[in-house]
């Protein structure tokens, strides 16, 4: 990886990025007064490595080029100051827990699947907007998103276990999905009105400890 750090603007500008590169070692060596508030990726970047800026607590902005097609696991995990990210339209895959425990408040999602723990404990996430029809929502994808208030979920294959565990802000929900796994909506204590269409399989306690 080739990059330079602009202390005046607290910005890391990356000129060359490899598949396994991470800014972790650089970040850990910085004096605490030297923050990283912005990361600039090369315009021809095609992938963001796993754990790339994990736990960069001061990171506020990262512009992801449209050339990026893959984002590795935990790439933005723990970035509590990162409020929003625009994902490329041609993004093909992301790893697990990409935005877990981050400060993301809203996001448009260009993929047909939401991997394991993608937004786990994203306590500020309010709006999730899928841009293509969803095939599957994997385990713990939105667990602990206490401010997320989805009103309709259309998922072609399955909503997996604990996918919406403890999503406290969901009040009225319509679900179209053939399979809802165990504990999928457990602890959604504000859920008062529920409509389910086309479901053939209900997992154990999938709506336990809800407000129904």
């Amino acid at each position: 990886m080739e990059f330079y750090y602009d202390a005046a603007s607290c910005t890391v500008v990356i000129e060359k990025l490899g598949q396994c590169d991470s800014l972790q070692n650089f970040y850990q060596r910085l004096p605490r007064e030297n923050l990283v508030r912005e990361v600039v990726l090369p315009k021809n970047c095609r992938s963001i490595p796993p754990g790339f800026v994990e736990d960069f607590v001061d990171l506020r902005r990262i512009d992801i080029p449209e050339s990026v097609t893959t984002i590795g696991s935990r790439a933005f995990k723990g970035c509590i100051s990162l409020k929003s990210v625009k994902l490329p339209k041609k993004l093909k895959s992301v790893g697990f827990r990409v935005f877990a425990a981050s400060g993301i408040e809203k996001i448009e999602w260009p993929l047909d699947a939401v991997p394991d723990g993608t937004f786990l404990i994203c306590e500020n996430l309010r709006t999730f907007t899928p841009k293509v029809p969803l095939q599957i929502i994997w385990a713990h994808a939105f667990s602990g998103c206490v401010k997320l208030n989805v009103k309709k979920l259309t998922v072609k294959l399955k909503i997996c276990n604990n996918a919406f565990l403890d999503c406290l802000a969901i009040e009225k929900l319509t679900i179209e999905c053939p399979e809802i796994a165990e504990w999928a909506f457990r602890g959604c204590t504000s859920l008062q009105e529920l409509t389910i269409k086309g479901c053939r399989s209900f997992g154990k306690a999938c709506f336990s400890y809800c407000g129904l």
Side-chain angles (χ1 to χ4, degrees):
M1 179 167 53
E2 297 176 6
F3 67 92
Y4 64 87
Y5 174 65
D6 181 359
S9 62
C10 301
T11 299
V12 176
V13 179
I14 300 173
E15 298 175 324
K16 185 177 180 180
L17 181 64
Q19 292 184 351
C20 298
D21 287 336
S22 170
L23 282 172
Q24 288 294 327
N25 290 335
F26 165 74
Y27 184 62
Q28 291 167 3
R29 292 197 303 266
L30 274 178
R32 187 63 191 93
E33 62 270 18
N34 292 106
L35 310 178
V36 176
R37 290 181 175 156
E38 181 176 358
V39 173
V40 179
L41 293 167
K43 292 183 178 180
N44 62 349
C45 177
R46 294 190 176 183
S47 65
I48 296 176
F52 179 57
V53 288
E54 183 175 355
D55 293 329
F56 277 38
V57 296
D58 302 299
L59 182 66
R60 298 177 182 177
R61 176 171 178 171
I62 180 167
D63 292 331
I64 303 177
E66 284 296 324
S67 56
V68 170
T69 57
T70 61
I71 300 176
S73 299
R74 310 179 326 280
F76 306 104
K77 180 177 178 288
C79 295
I80 59 175
S81 299
L82 188 64
K83 305 301 182 184
S84 65
V85 170
K86 183 179 180 181
L87 297 175
K89 295 177 182 178
K90 296 183 179 180
L91 188 65
K92 295 180 179 178
S93 67
V94 299
F96 64 88
R97 301 193 178 191
V98 168
F99 293 104
S102 70
I104 292 292
E105 296 178 351
K106 61 181 180 179
I107 196 162
E108 294 186 349
W109 193 253
L111 301 173
D112 63 2
V114 186
D116 288 23
T118 299
F119 300 100
L120 177 68
I121 321 179
C122 285
E123 296 182 345
N124 292 317
L125 181 65
R126 295 177 182 271
T127 306
F128 171 82
T129 306
K131 303 304 290 182
V132 297
L134 292 175
Q135 298 284 324
I136 190 166
I137 298 176
W138 289 100
H140 292 284
F142 297 95
S143 286
C145 294
V146 296
K147 295 181 181 178
L148 180 66
N149 186 12
V150 294
K151 298 183 183 300
K152 184 176 181 179
L153 287 169
T154 302
V155 183
K156 186 174 182 180
L157 298 178
K158 184 178 181 180
I159 299 174
C160 295
N161 61 290
N162 297 295
F164 291 87
L165 175 70
D166 293 336
C167 287
L168 306 181
I170 298 176
E171 299 176 351
K172 181 179 179 181
L173 181 61
T174 298
I175 301 173
E176 295 183 32
C177 182
E179 183 176 355
I180 301 174
E182 61 269 23
W183 309 304
F185 294 89
R186 187 178 186 219
C188 295
T189 55
S190 297
L191 183 59
Q192 300 288 329
E193 185 176 336
L194 177 64
T195 302
I196 299 176
K197 301 178 182 179
C199 187
R200 300 187 295 271
S201 176
F202 293 90
K204 179 177 68 175
C206 55
F207 293 99
S208 63
Y209 299 101
C210 287
L212 298 168

